[in-house]
Amino acid sequence: MTGWLLPVLAAGAWGGIMLVEPLGGRAPVPVWLALAGVSFGVATFGAPGRPSRPPLPIDPGRAPEPAVRAVTPPETGVGRGPPALVAILVVLGAVGLGLGVGGAHAHRVRDGVLAHLAPGRATVEAVLRIDPRLGGRGWWALADARLVTTDRMAARVREGVWVSGDGERPEAVRGDRIRVSGRVLVPDEPEFATSLVRRGMATQLRADAVERLGPSGTAFVRWAQSFRRLVGGSIVRRFPEPEAGLLLGLALGDDSRLDPALERDFRASGLSHLLVVSGGNVVMVLAPIMALGSLLRLSRRPKFALGVATVAFFVVVTGVEPSVLRAGVMAGLTLFGVLLGRPRSTAAILSSTVFVLIVLDPALVWSVAFQLSVAATGGLVAMATPLADRLGWMPRSVALATAATLAAQIAVTPALLFHFGEAPLSTVVANVLAFPAVAPSLMIGLAAAFAGLAWEPAGTLLAQGALVPIRYLAAVADVTATAPLPWITGGGAATLALGIAVAAGLAWWLRTRARPPRRLIVAALALAPVLVWSTAVSSGPPSGLSVRFFDVGQGDAALLTSPGGVAMLVDGGPDEAQVARELVALGVKRLDVVVASHPHADHVVGLPTVFARFPVSLLLEPGCPDDSPDAAAIADAIDDEGIEVRQPRAGDRLVVGDVHLEILSPDRCWSGTGSDTNNDAIVLRASLGEDAILFATEPEEPAQQVLLDDGVDLTADVLKVPHHGAATSVEAFFQAVRAEVAVVSVGENTYGHPVPEVLEWIRATGAEVLRTDREGTISITFGDDGLHVDSGA
């Protein structure tokens, strides 16, 4: 009955750690640990005794007395207790242990030296956990503080800290020792503060000055740093871009040179796990090393030492990523079992690995990468083999690859939906197609890097061979990213619980080969047409011209659809993935027109991801000079996806299906206004018959006045209020539109948007004013009886 013990221990400890926030404060840490000790003790020694197997059928009348005593268990003493009671005690003990170690971890994080110094200035000597990364207007990194000094004190510490600064990122890599001077802060934003605590840190250090002190103080880590630098440099010299960046991520976990367009394709196709080192890489690196050990006829112990050293070195080289750490510990436990001559099942090794790691570092339970890695491995253990057996009509290698992909995807989908709200079905096809090229890309690529260090021509020749599978992977990602396959969307705790239940049910069904009850099959067959019909209706074209203003915070994004099947997106919002996620949830498969009204971040940051996921027939943009990073990012994304682009001007007209588009502004590229980019913004009216929507994106007073002076017909039933309702409009503009409904796309901001005076001007025209910050996403559909308005509020 011990087959359940390790999984229960791991799951119970995991659950206990996650319960620290709601329950941990109800009792001190020693109480939780005592509860664990008592529960485990009773389960081991105090459960009611009973024989673990029935006694042998020996007749006392025929057997000698000593023999009877030898095979019959004594009437008193402790044996194994009832499975239900023992299971309850083990679960209770594991949860108590999780609450204890999790509570101790939380106290250590929140009561650190840096937390007591905040807010204040300090100089911190630390070791970088990751390479510094660009984000927002500066850079950030995770570091482990070792020495903290202020004007009044100096202290040796062992605590994590989020380091960030403005400008260029420092010339340092993970494992390096740095000295940072700056301001220690406890974040005011609750979500960010909670996120930091779950990463094992309570403070952020806003850096004024950063100095690299040198490489790691640990020789083993220094060797790994040197190896990474040497091999990484060889890869960069041997391979062109973007292949070099992809191989660096695949082999060394280095995403510093990863091409943004390639990254978007891999994420959209469900192949993002290939962009960085994952658990599978540990197996691919370890297998040839162990084969070499066998070839050299190494005995068991030297072979074990070689394997463990290889795994440890690879884990350090790739930056101790959660998935690699999980795979590394699993590999180590597997090798240890082989060394002892007592190999264990993969399920037992996975459970042991999870239990050991989360007890040593409770923060891992909150790591999305660790959660996905454990879920994927668990899915492979539970479902891959029975799935492959049921795919017997396929060639065995294809069946195994398909089964592994399906098993992993089924297992990780609940977590993907909970964290990201979406999961592409294209990932199954993409992973099956990519499977044959992953190992050759990694192994031939590394061989080229090593050979190039010894002899340049050999490295160059091998690199040419490695380019074939690497480019194949990129092509698979590019094609499957825009495949017209549905996405699963959802989110929240209910989705997570339902998803886990479904995955567990599928695993049980596959492993037991049980047949569902006949009534359940009949009910499923009866409901399937209803579900298909309702899904088809909800994702089909609307009954009338329709527009949906997405709640994207302080930014703009709107989707127009028509009865003729037209889909047009106006702007993409300030978040990289939100609008693409919204379109997926609505069942959008392609976009006829995308309008990038002007290259400001709150309007265009989400467009590159949209381009990567959906075929786009035509892009409209102002085409005016702009040297901002956002304009450059849009231009690169357009080139990468090969999208047709037009720069329309006032007076241009387009017919897209049953929708007519009139370009009202700009009539030129503005200069000298102080807000040239806003005045360059495209203003267009979309109409179907007599129904019209005016997308007045961001023109300010000068551009609006030109429209009024030129006598342009601005009338529309629905108005997208310009510039989030800022004080940059003229009252006559709203009087000319005479809208029935005016929508302000706005979020929390420090600019004062929308301005009360502007809202009063709009209401004075008789329009109803709706705001996305109060109503959420706003949907408006034209009907025979007028406008139908729906909101997420």
Side-chain angles (χ1 to χ4, degrees), residues 233-240 247 444-471:
S234 182
I235 289 174
V236 171
R237 291 191 297 272
R238 304 282 170 274
F239 292 87
L247 183 56
I444 302 175
L446 285 176
F450 286 127
L453 294 173
W455 189 37
E456 187 82 17
T460 302
L461 181 62
L462 285 170
Q464 292 303 310
L467 284 174
V468 175
I470 292 174
R471 286 174 175 167

Side-chain angles (χ1 to χ4, degrees), residues 588-655:
V588 174
K589 296 296 188 297
R590 50 110 183 109
L591 292 166
D592 300 290
V593 179
V594 172
V595 180
S597 66
H598 65 294
H600 276 171
D602 57 335
H603 291 250
V604 299
V605 165
L607 290 181
T609 303
V610 170
F611 298 160
R613 294 192 184 184
F614 304 93
V616 175
S617 300
L618 177 65
L619 175 76
L620 304 180
E621 57 151 6
C624 295
D626 192 297
D627 58 359
S628 68
D630 300 305
I634 287 294
D636 290 343
I638 292 169
D639 291 341
D640 291 330
E641 302 300 332
I643 299 172
E644 181 183 348
V645 180
R646 294 187 193 176
Q647 289 92 28
R649 288 294 175 262
D652 289 350
R653 295 173 181 268
L654 295 87
V655 177

Side-chain angles (χ1 to χ4, degrees), residues 416-441:
L416 289 174
L417 294 176
F418 179 76
H419 290 292
F420 307 112
E422 59 183 1
L425 289 184
S426 62
T427 187
V428 176
V429 177
N431 276 279
V432 171
L433 292 175
F435 178 77
V438 175
S441 298

Side-chain angles (χ1 to χ4, degrees), residues 37-47 78-81 85-90:
V38 170
S39 299
F40 289 145
V42 173
T44 304
F45 301 108
V78 178
R80 283 189 169 178
L85 176 60
V86 175
I88 292 171
L89 290 170
V90 170

Side-chain angles (χ1 to χ4, degrees), residues 68 190 349 685 753:
V68 176
I349 293 171
R685 178 168 52 191
H753 300 165

